[in-house]
Amino acid sequence: MTAVADPAPAPPVRRRRWGARLLLAAAGAWLIFVLAHRLLSGRAWWWNLPDLLPPLALLAVPVLLLVAVAPLRRARLVGAALAVAALVAGWPGNGVNAAALWHRPPPAPPDAVTVFSWNTWYWDELLAIGPNGERTRDPDRFYRYLHAQDADVYLLQEYLYLTPELDPLPVDGLDRLRREFPGFHVAASGELVTVSRYPIVREHPVDLRPHLARPWPDLPPADSRLPAYHTVKTLRTDLLVGGRVLSVYNSHLHVPMVGLPARRPDTADDTLARHDQRRADYRALAADVEANPHPVLLAGDLNTSPAMRLLRTLPERLVDASPVLDSVYPVSWARYGLPLWRLDWLFTTTDVTVHRYRMVPPDGLSDHTGQLAVVSL
């Protein structure tokens, strides 16, 4: 008797098998990527491009994979396990603020302190369109916006202008600040300005250079008109609040750099140097906070999304104030009119209570929202 060969699988069956294999490969590849991101983010300069991953992708991609593998038969459990593992591994960086659903902060006491932190987008450099189409500066609008926040402490970043070559220029604006806020105390270093209703008993620009992995001879550049802009990315001011000292850190950390290093990376503008400076920003800040015996409030534009590991290198004594926000997915930075993700943060030590915290729309003055918080010691 002649044996009859089994018929070849029908084309639809073959396509389903290939589809299942592709889905499993995609789920496995995404899990490997997420694990690599947790390992390399903030550590390797060549991971800077993946570091710009939109945080919500760490949630959206595994959820889509779970939906895609649901119709599978044999491979469903394996695909779901890979997707869930990627979801869990990436959860700390997806930007979701789940605690906003249940966290209820205590009411603020009468002596609470209102703090407003904001990246001003090159101070009052926004150009307004005049009645005849002319373009003029509109600093009055800038100061009206600041007054509208009615804060006790203002932490302002990007106190500078830019040349057409993107070199920083100093702003001669402290006299007007003092006129606009009579009785307030003002501290400034580089691009950072702190304006406080409370006395400033100590002013300390945090220099990043002692924390660099290697010295960069042109840091700051010899021809810079704002040298501290290159070396001070955090300004600490100790404020006397109700007989106690509150240390307030006003930060604007380096932007992540993308690109290849030069063949001879010996300038501070090289990708390797900027990566080193960004890590030094965090080291300098962490070292100062760790050695500080006072209650601490840190706020500003950290140029760090929830997906970036550097955010988790801050000292353990600093607590993220995000649960006080009323948004499950807070956003502080927009581009081309589209809200993207969060770059601005507020942290405190446990002896500082955050009673209220919200993002304030910038009224067209900046690409960053402001951060308005009410705290007490």
Side-chain angles (χ1 to χ4, degrees), residues 15 19 47 58 73 80 113 138 149 320 345 364:
R15 285 196 296 269
W47 197 259
L58 294 170
R73 295 180 179 178
V113 180
D138 192 3
Q149 311 316 318
D320 184 5
W345 299 84

Side-chain angles (χ1 to χ4, degrees), residues 64 77 99 111 173 176 178 181 205 259-260 270-271 278 299 323 344:
L64 290 175
L77 290 179
D111 60 348
R176 175 154 188 182
R178 293 186 174 97
F181 296 93
L260 297 175
D270 183 73
T271 298
R278 184 163 157 78
D344 302 79

Side-chain angles (χ1 to χ4, degrees), residues 25-178:
W30 182 254
L31 175 58
I32 292 171
F33 171 82
V34 172
L35 294 175
H37 183 71
R38 293 194 60 171
L39 176 66
L40 299 172
S41 173
R43 290 192 174 105
W45 67 264
W46 43 269
W47 197 259
N48 281 349
L49 183 58
D51 225 17
L52 301 180
L53 170 82
L56 205 54
L58 294 170
L59 172 65
V61 173
V63 169
L64 290 175
L65 287 170
L66 279 171
V67 173
V69 301
L72 301 182
R73 295 180 179 178
R74 299 177 182 177
R76 181 187 304 160
L77 290 179
V78 176
L82 292 172
V84 169
L87 180 65
V88 172
W91 185 268
N94 64 24
V96 173
N97 181 33
L101 297 173
W102 61 78
H103 183 79
R104 296 295 178 267
D111 60 348
V113 180
T114 301
V115 180
F116 180 67
S117 173
W118 183 40
N119 181 330
T120 63
W121 209 15
Y122 310 122
W123 206 241
D124 58 0
E125 197 174 43
L126 179 77
L127 296 178
I129 307 299
N132 299 318
E134 71 276 13
R135 298 173 66 82
T136 59
R137 294 189 186 280
D138 192 3
D140 292 340
R141 181 182 168 195
F142 172 80
Y143 285 101
R144 285 197 301 270
Y145 178 79
L146 291 182
H147 282 297
Q149 311 316 318
D150 194 24
D152 300 307
V153 181
Y154 293 83
L155 308 178
L156 306 175
Q157 301 102 44
E158 289 198 1
Y159 174 62
L160 77 159
Y161 298 145
L162 287 180
T163 68
E165 296 75 28
L166 303 183
D167 294 324
L169 293 175
V171 178
D172 186 15
L174 295 185
D175 287 342
R176 175 154 188 182
L177 261 179
R178 293 186 174 97

Side-chain angles (χ1 to χ4, degrees), residues 7 26 36 57 103 176 198 219 223 235 246 274 276 292 309 339 358:
H103 183 79
R176 175 154 188 182
Y198 302 96
L219 189 66
D223 59 349
L235 172 61
L246 170 65
R274 296 299 295 272
D276 187 14
N292 189 344
R309 177 189 165 276
R358 65 185 178 92

